[in-house]
Amino acid sequence: MGRYPSGEPDYQRAARLTARRGAPGPGAVVAAAGVWLVLAPSVLEYPDGGAVINDGVVGAVVAIVAITGAAVPRAASWSSGTTALLGVWEVASPFVLGHGSGSSVVANQVVVGLVVVVLSLAGVAVSVERSCSRSPMRARPSRWERRRARPRRVRR
């Protein structure tokens, strides 16, 4: 790993710059997908009442949970797991509930559900990596790194 002239390791500088700029994580896109699920029945003109209710409820819960996970960093692990499960349900719902009358309805539910699942699993991976004690994304150096970074005493 390289170091900058300030002595700061690469991964710490990258984490600091990302946090300062407020880079959106996968949770922001998952929240947007939840909002789309709420709006999709009116935009795509769903013919079936069951699909409208399912997308409205699942979309609202996905959006609320994703926003909670983005606002409260300690909640990121459970919120990403919850949205991943809701995404799996969204993929399976047209086949389980049998409201796959329109191909646009089924395609929308499957595509948005897959997007939610993939991005939620990415959020789980990020939260696991940040919580891991040997992770390169952690903000605090280990005891060994602090000891190694101290200047050596010169005996005279």
Side-chain angles (χ1 to χ4, degrees):
M1 277 190 264
R3 291 191 177 266
Y4 286 87
S6 64
E8 184 178 31
D10 292 341
Y11 66 87
Q12 286 180 350
R13 183 165 192 256
R16 182 175 49 82
L17 291 176
T18 303
R20 182 174 20 167
R21 290 185 187 143
V29 180
V30 171
V35 171
W36 167 251
L37 280 175
V38 172
L39 298 175
S42 61
V43 173
L44 299 177
E45 299 175 0
Y46 283 16
D48 189 24
V52 173
I53 293 170
N54 180 56
D55 280 4
V57 170
V58 171
V61 173
V62 165
I64 290 170
V65 171
I67 291 170
T68 302
V72 183
R74 292 182 185 251
S77 61
W78 69 263
S79 66
S80 295
T82 304
T83 54
L85 290 175
L86 288 168
V88 169
W89 168 250
E90 189 63 27
V91 170
S93 67
F95 308 109
V96 172
L97 299 177
H99 53 70
S101 60
S103 62
S104 65
V105 174
V106 175
N108 181 56
Q109 289 180 329
V110 170
V111 169
V112 173
L114 288 175
V115 166
V116 169
V117 168
V118 169
L119 292 176
S120 296
L121 292 178
V124 168
V126 167
S127 66
V128 167
E129 183 179 351
R130 286 183 180 168
S131 67
C132 183
S133 64
R134 295 185 184 265
S135 170
M137 290 299 291
R138 70 182 189 282
R140 193 174 146 203
S142 68
R143 184 186 310 170
W144 173 253
E145 289 171 336
R146 287 192 308 265
R147 183 178 294 162
R148 204 174 68 188
R150 288 186 207 152
R152 295 186 177 242
R153 295 181 187 174
V154 179
R155 293 186 183 182
R156 296 182 182 179

